[in-house]
Amino acid sequence: MNQRYANPYVIGALLGLVLLFCFYTMGRGVGSSASFSRIAAAGIDLVAPAHAGQMTYFSSYFSKGNSPLKDWLVFLTLGAGLGGLFSAFISRRIQGEVVRGPSIGVSARLWLALAGGILSGFAARLARGCTSGQALTGASEMAFGSWVFMFSIFAGAYAMAYFFRKEWL
């Protein structure tokens, strides 16, 4: 299997240029949690259209009669996912496996991943921004709350790694 990866410094510089381009063209930075809220709003609209526009949380996504999916951040998130899949495909890194430590089972790993994803998604909406929105956009705007958020994310990750390290050894 080919284990070549892109240079992280080059990718970081390119990501910075994407952020600058977004500020210049769209007037705001990047983030993905709003995309998932828009997808949820579209799903609710598909199942219960009369109810979707009346929900306080989702009502702003239905302004001007447009679909909640008609937003550039939805396409940015879709492009990021497809780009990652394309990158994995051309470097032959796509495999059907669950990466885990030797002392944890596949189902436990999947349940923990699901729980972590749900918790992260809830926290991102509660914080009014995901880690990419907080770290890239908020930090580039020198928002104090974004810096506190990122330091807290890293501190929490290091603290939790101590307790879960035995699962990977």
Side-chain angles (χ1 to χ4, degrees):
M1 181 196 315
N2 185 355
Q3 289 293 330
R4 294 183 325 161
Y5 293 96
N7 184 324
Y9 299 109
V10 172
I11 299 302
L14 291 173
L15 185 57
L17 291 174
V18 167
L19 181 63
L20 181 63
F21 180 76
C22 287
F23 273 121
Y24 182 73
T25 59
M26 305 309 286
R28 58 180 288 199
V30 297
S32 63
S33 61
S35 301
F36 293 106
S37 292
R38 287 181 170 278
I39 292 168
I44 292 170
D45 187 41
L46 188 66
V47 174
H51 182 64
Q54 297 174 353
M55 296 177 71
T56 305
Y57 183 75
F58 293 122
S59 63
S60 64
Y61 296 139
F62 294 99
S63 63
K64 303 175 190 170
N66 289 333
S67 167
L69 299 177
K70 194 174 181 181
D71 185 77
W72 69 279
L73 282 174
V74 173
F75 293 100
L76 179 79
T77 303
L78 181 63
L82 291 175
L85 184 62
F86 178 72
S87 173
F89 179 75
I90 64 171
S91 62
R92 297 184 187 112
R93 289 191 315 251
I94 292 181
Q95 285 185 300
E97 69 174 329
V98 177
V99 179
R100 60 188 177 82
S103 60
I104 188 170
V106 171
S107 63
R109 173 69 170 114
L110 293 176
W111 281 110
L112 285 172
L114 178 65
I118 290 170
L119 183 62
S120 294
F122 176 75
R125 293 314 300 157
L126 188 63
R128 300 195 65 186
C130 58
T131 52
S132 60
Q134 292 283 358
L136 295 173
T137 302
S140 67
E141 293 175 339
M142 299 303 288
F144 180 73
S146 293
W147 285 93
V148 169
F149 174 81
M150 285 312 300
F151 281 117
S152 298
I153 289 286
F154 281 103
Y158 278 108
M160 293 307 293
Y162 175 80
F163 295 106
F164 288 98
R165 73 187 186 287
K166 66 181 182 296
E167 302 298 336
W168 293 94
L169 299 176

